[in-house]
Amino acid sequence: MKRRDFLHYTGLGLGAGLLSQIPIIGKAVPLDAPWYTIDPARKKELADVALNAARSKGASYTDVRIGRYLNQFLITREDKVENVVNTESYGIGIRVLANGCWGFASTDQMDKDSIARTAATAVAIAKENARLLTTPVQLAPQKGYGEVSWKAPVEKNAFEVPVKEKVDLLLSVNDVAMKNGADYVGSYMFLVNEQKYFASSDGSYIDQDVHRIWPTFQITKIDKATGKFETRDALSAPRGMGYEYMIPRESDKIKGVTTLYRDRYDMVEDARQGAQQVGEKLKAKSVEPGKYDLILDPSHLWLTIHESVGHPTELDRVLGYEANFAGTSFLTLDKWESKKFQFGSPLVNIVADKTQPGSLGAVGYDDEGVGTQKWDLIKDGVLVNYQAIRDQAHIIGLNQSQGCCYAQGWSDVQFQRMANVSLQPGTASLTPAEMIKNVEKGIFIAGNGSFSIDQQRYNFQFGGQVYYEIKNGQIVGMLKDVAYQSNTQEFWNSCAAIADKRDYRLGGSFFDGKGQPSQVSAVSHGSATARFNGVNVINTARKI
């Protein structure tokens, strides 16, 4: 597959800001190559070469990341297979502190001499950088864990499932969509396996095996009389799971005006429903602009959480160290220091959590060798914390990192990335259906669509996939051309109800972009269905 083709296909159905750069591609490998891992003893041997070489050149601290990254992309359209490709990328990245400053170098030449030279290069870069240094790096202490390992709790390794089985599933998705009225349909499956080995001069040797999967599609239907068209993307969530995610279970389906999914995804059923809904969207009533009470499903709300909570609570954006991809943050330190900044209503409790099973961001340790953890960002509506890494922890009075430092691959330097950031479910018994019964004038939104947010992550606009009008406690029909506008603080303070834990589900982004040079990262956001009162809704089709 050509790089240009990959950019085109992965752009389908994705928000532009979420796909800033392709993930690591590496070199193509045979489709029938057996899946295997590299012996940790061999990786420790190579890591020790780097640690010793860096120390001998004057490094006061060194960490080493040996990464083997496997990707599989399956791309189909209507009754055709557009492409299937496996890629592999394998190499070592070495980061050092010397004379109080960072240096980094990497290589894919995995012999001992090349690794020693790369370590020496990293130290030389750090010493050159130190000539411009004004404040030495202050690194939060981190204990060495010795030799430990972590594996994603995968039930069925997707890389060991025959390609034909996965292709047949995608073609079945396309077939059911076409039989139910679609004019065009493309379906895709992205698989990732990260075999990550971390070693540091703190005394850690950490071996991790990470798996992720994302099945998705986009269905298009055209009104032949007017030439207008509508699309409907999959309501799937990318997950940190194996192929078991693709084996449907009735117990994981939430039946309602549209069927939604928990920990198992019925892709064929969603395509059948999507093809029918895209036809309904063509005939749907265009929304009347105004104030509405919004009922937001987790398949939609995850993106609002990501943009308006996840990114603005990253400490590097708060401090102005990071401003790429929609800027810095309005959540400045003075608001946190006041201990009374009312970010949202008292119902709003939002946590950062790198330990959540099945999430995209779940790992045992970050790329600085810090054990992952869970902590509060917003507590009873009040801003209480940020997301920080080892060289930022002292700025907000922490005596250790929160484990938020990651790189997209072995050849990239690690930096602050978002943890899984999730809205906690309500504590009182409440279902989405019960929530809707109390809405006089509202809109139910599922699936994520277009979005925009300003440079301080304050004013925003979000669309979705399907919209249903609510009148006097009942859903009365589909709407189209819907987007809502607010600012982050007003929006979260308008949160009037959150369904209980029975409705809690994960959404997320496979390719969240950040940094310069940009890197991608995968992250999940959980929530239950939530109600937001009096939000401004615009008509996206209206012309002035």
Side-chain angles (χ1 to χ4, degrees), residues 213-265:
I213 183 169
W214 184 23
T216 188
F217 61 74
Q218 186 175 69
I219 294 168
T220 302
K221 186 173 178 59
I222 300 171
D223 184 328
K224 305 298 189 298
T226 65
K228 294 182 178 180
F229 70 93
E230 291 285 350
T231 63
R232 157 67 149 84
D233 293 352
L235 296 179
S236 63
R239 297 294 299 266
M241 298 176 64
Y243 202 71
E244 66 272 12
Y245 183 52
M246 305 306 300
I247 303 171
R249 289 190 309 213
E250 284 303 306
S251 58
D252 279 292
K253 296 178 182 178
I254 298 176
K255 301 289 187 179
V257 64
T258 185
T259 301
L260 299 154
Y261 306 92
R262 291 191 182 90
D263 295 329
R264 296 289 190 275
Y265 178 48

Side-chain angles (χ1 to χ4, degrees), residues 17-18 20 306 310-311 313-317 322 325 352 354 366-368 375 387-389 392 402-409 412-421 509-523:
L18 294 176
S20 60
H306 176 88
H311 279 308
T313 53
E314 294 171 320
L315 188 56
D316 58 350
R317 292 189 185 276
E322 170 63 42
F325 295 111
K354 288 290 293 184
D366 79 348
D367 287 351
E368 290 188 310
W375 68 100
Q387 306 170 61
I389 62 176
Q392 301 167 344
Q402 293 164 320
C404 300
C405 197
Y406 299 89
Q408 70 172 1
D412 304 283
V413 67
Q414 60 268 59
F415 73 123
Q416 187 184 336
R417 298 311 307 260
M418 193 187 305
N420 301 308
V421 171
S509 168
F510 223 61
F511 302 125
D512 176 37
K514 184 181 175 184
Q516 188 66 35
S518 61
Q519 298 186 32
V520 296
S521 181
V523 60

Side-chain angles (χ1 to χ4, degrees), residues 11 21 23 42 54-55 91 105 112 117 164 210 219 228 267 306 310 316 334 346 352 371 460 465 511:
Q21 180 181 314
R42 172 60 178 166
R55 186 184 305 112
K112 293 181 179 179
R117 284 196 298 272
K164 183 178 185 306
V210 181
I219 294 168
K228 294 182 178 180
M267 194 175 190
H306 176 88
D316 58 350
D334 59 307
F460 62 65
Q465 287 298 314
F511 302 125

